[in-house]
Structures are given as structure tokens and as C-alpha cells.
Amino acid sequence: MVRRALAHDYLYVHGGAERTLAEAHAIWPDAPVHTLLYLRDRLPADPFARMDLRTTWVDRLPARSRLARLYGLLQPLAFATVRTHADEVVSFASFGAKAINPVPGGKHLCYCFTPPRFLWGLDRGTDLRGRAAPVRAADAVVRAWLRRWDRAAAGRVTHFIAQSRAVDDRIARIYGRRAGAIVYPPVAVDRFRDRQGVAGAAYLAVARLEAFKRIDLAIEACRRLGVPLRIAGAGVDETRLRALAAGDPLITFLGAIPDDAVVREMATCRAFLHPADEDFGIAAVEAQAAGRPVIAYAGGGALETVIEGVTGTFFREPTAGSLAAALSGFDPGRYHPDDARANAARFVPDRFRAALGAAVADLGARPQIGRAHV
């Protein structure tokens, strides 16, 4: 019998990555889960309190709740100390967890959310151009070291499983190899599908308020056209975004609202705005499960989850002007809710569990492919 362990970068937010881990744990409920740190008050007890969670020494550092994001940079040091007795490690990772090793001769299968965005130019959450030269120089040195470490950790992974074709392309470009399988992440579509709503006048964006989510494009486009926008979520970019929307009564910040409120907002929006170049984009699938069309940037996972002309439309340039042009010509009456719901059904959790279980069984039986030429 294979001794299996799971791994996850960290557990201090409850987002798509953590929901993916929860569904994977349902496949292998007896497997221990290794992670950097675990903030119990930020994640639901079910199922995380039932997991055999094994944290690193970072979980014992002071003020870990307040400094969790900063402590995330310690992943290369922390995961180097992790020891597992597993013959097979299945990690759910962007950064550190893909460095965990099985026993000698074992396999490490990495379900990759994306290569780390902050390292590989996929976004820069902090603009350092206005900082002092020593700060910029130090940042360049640290990122160069972390890139070397990240590539080395990726080189020790037996096989990658990508969460979308867009992520597979990034793995090929950055790590020089292809994923052995693509398995789309799970989306809890049932809680949206049964909620009927009457479409209102306001557009909706739901996201963590971070720079790469590009909520600024949604704000600027809606301000130009004088149309209402409702924004659900919280995050480090919130202050800047509120400043962009200052004085516009049609822009409403809802904050971090409960799941039931998200369902109501999605069921009654004019359309869902998805302006980011996402790895996959769970919220865009949720909006379709609620029967609403999506207006998305034509990049990343949205190209795999939105059917143009059937469940939504795309804007082609990552600019407010391009999004505004898509909004000005948008007619929600062209899109039927049943088409959106049918498309969202492709991503139900049962399908994810079946696909992931099959991929792990298949790839676990193969030899390591090493660094393939792509």
C-alpha cells in the first residue's frame, strides 16, 4: 500500500487553493497534510479541523496572524526542514510545498496552481520604481536567489499536474517541462445553480483586492461609462482602489461578504466582470453557475471557462478603454442562463475528484520525466 502525504503552501486564507485542498483531502482522508502555517480562525473547521495538519516552525513565530504574508517568504527555509515518511507526496502548490521530498525512491506529484507570480513577472504586487536604489537592488538580489531556488525545487518534482492549460504553458516556459495532466479545480456550483434572481443594472466583481486582480480596470471602465459597479472582497489593494472610486456614487464596495451574500450578488448582477489574467478563475465559473454572463479579459484560465458569445464575451487588451468598449456594446439579453449553468457544470467537485484521483494513479505509476524539452 502506498504511504501518501499531502502538502500545501500555507493555510491563512480561504480561497480557491484551499477549497481545492479540501476536495483532495476527501479523496485521501487519512493522508497527513504538511503546510507552512495554519490560522484556524481564518478557515472553516470543516474539513480543516479534521485534517492531520503538520505545520513548520514558522507556525510558532510571533504575530504570525498579522505577519502571515511576510512569513510566506520563509517557505524555502521552512520546507527544507520538513521530513515525511511518504512513498508519494501530492502537493498543492505555487511556491514552497513543491520542495517537499518523499522517501528516497518515492514520487512527488505537484498540483500546480501557477509558478509564483511574484517571482516570474506574472504580476508585481508592489511597484518598486519609486523606492530608493538600495531597496530596489536588494529586491533584485533576493528575487534572483528565490528564482534559482524555485527552479531547483521544480526540478525535483516527479510530475506536474496543472490546473489549466494556461498554467501548463507557464510551467513549460519557466521550468522547461510540461505537466503530465491538466485537472481543472473544483467549483461548488450547486450552491449557485439553484438560486434564481432577476438581473439588475449593476455589474459585479468578486475578488481578493490585490493588484493582479485588476479591479482598477473595472472601476475605471465603469466610471467612464457612468454605470454601477459592485465590488465584493477585501485585501491589500483596497485603499488604492477606494481612492480610484472616490466620489463616484455608482461604485459600491461591499467588503468581504459571506458566501450566501455572494450568491445573491451573482444571481442579480447585470454581468460578472473578470478583468484579471487568472490562473483559472473560480469566481467566473461561479457567476455562470448563477446563470449570469461573464465579461472577461481574453487571457489565462478565462479562455477555458467562458464560451464567447454563449456564456460571455471578452475584451482583448488589459486596459480600461478595452473593457469600457466591451461594456458599452454589451447586451445581457443575448445570453441564456441555462447555457451558463450547463457550462459551469463541467467543474463540479465530483468531476475534479475523479480526474485528480485518476491523474495521480496514472502519473504515480510512471517514471520521472525530468526536464523535458518543450
Side-chain angles (χ1 to χ4, degrees):
M1 179 181 241
V2 173
R3 295 173 298 175
R4 183 176 288 108
L6 308 183
H8 192 272
D9 286 340
Y10 47 72
L11 293 172
Y12 64 72
V13 294
H14 189 222
E18 291 70 31
R19 289 180 169 90
T20 299
L21 172 66
E23 292 294 340
H25 183 260
I27 306 173
W28 304 291
D30 296 327
V33 180
H34 297 273
T35 191
L36 182 76
L37 55 81
Y38 171 39
L39 300 185
R40 290 165 179 78
D41 60 330
R42 298 191 187 179
L43 291 104
D46 184 18
F48 295 96
R50 294 187 282 102
M51 294 182 183
D52 177 8
L53 286 169
R54 304 183 184 184
T55 59
T56 70
W57 51 268
V58 172
D59 203 39
R60 299 187 292 276
L61 293 178
R64 76 200 214 301
S65 181
R66 179 166 55 87
L67 300 176
R69 288 176 63 91
L70 180 62
Y71 286 161
L73 294 175
L74 298 175
Q75 290 180 64
L77 300 177
F79 282 112
T81 68
V82 173
R83 298 292 179 266
T84 176
H85 300 292
D87 304 309
E88 184 176 272
V89 172
V90 183
S91 64
F92 298 83
S94 171
F95 189 28
K98 64 176 175 284
I100 292 181
N101 291 316
V103 297
K107 303 286 180 67
H108 180 167
L109 310 179
C110 176
Y111 185 90
C112 185
F113 299 114
T114 186
R117 285 178 163 272
F118 76 101
L119 286 183
W120 298 109
L122 303 173
D123 73 88
R124 291 290 288 151
T126 302
D127 188 347
L128 298 177
R129 286 175 294 181
R131 298 293 185 90
V135 173
R136 287 184 278 114
D139 176 74
V141 170
V142 170
R143 281 193 293 123
W145 182 84
L146 288 175
R147 283 183 174 186
R148 289 194 297 271
W149 180 89
D150 187 59
R151 276 205 173 107
R156 294 193 295 271
V157 169
T158 310
H159 295 284
F160 279 103
I161 302 169
Q163 72 162 336
S164 65
R165 291 194 298 272
V167 169
D168 184 30
D169 288 343
R170 294 175 191 168
I171 291 170
R173 185 172 72 252
I174 294 167
Y175 299 143
R177 56 195 293 189
R178 284 286 181 184
I182 295 170
V183 176
Y184 292 123
V187 184
V189 301
D190 285 347
R191 67 190 180 100
F192 295 88
R193 190 162 46 200
D194 297 333
R195 180 67 63 90
Q196 301 294 320
V198 177
Y203 292 100
L204 176 69
V206 179
R208 292 194 316 275
L209 301 186
E210 300 185 15
F212 83 92
K213 296 290 187 176
R214 299 312 311 268
I215 302 301
D216 56 326
L217 299 185
I219 292 172
E220 292 176 22
C222 289
R223 289 195 71 167
R224 289 186 190 184
L225 298 176
V227 296
L229 170 66
R230 295 169 69 81
I231 301 167
V236 296
D237 205 32
E238 185 169 352
T239 299
R240 182 181 73 91
L241 294 173
R242 285 183 178 274
L244 283 176
D248 191 331
L250 296 178
I251 309 294
T252 303
F253 285 84
L254 303 172
I257 59 177
D259 286 349
D260 284 349
V262 171
V263 173
R264 287 195 301 272
E265 292 290 336
M266 285 189 169
T268 57
C269 68
R270 178 177 174 85
F272 184 82
L273 303 189
H274 183 77
D277 184 349
E278 287 271 23
D279 314 319
F280 174 75
I282 286 177
V285 177
E286 292 176 335
Q288 292 172 81
R292 304 313 304 145
V294 176
I295 301 173
Y297 171 62
L303 294 173
E304 302 167 59
T305 63
V306 178
I307 304 173
E308 187 163 25
V310 179
T311 70
T313 190
F314 294 107
F315 64 100
R316 306 294 171 180
E317 300 295 330
T319 64
S322 181
L323 175 53
L327 294 178
S328 64
F330 180 73
D331 176 9
R334 294 179 52 198
Y335 303 93
H336 198 287
D338 288 347
D339 292 333
R341 294 188 181 103
N343 186 49
R346 295 190 290 137
F347 306 102
V348 295
D350 285 351
R351 182 171 291 191
F352 165 78
R353 290 194 294 267
L356 180 65
V360 167
D362 175 45
L363 296 175
R366 298 186 197 178
Q368 181 162 356
I369 62 172
R371 292 183 177 275
H373 292 289
V374 294

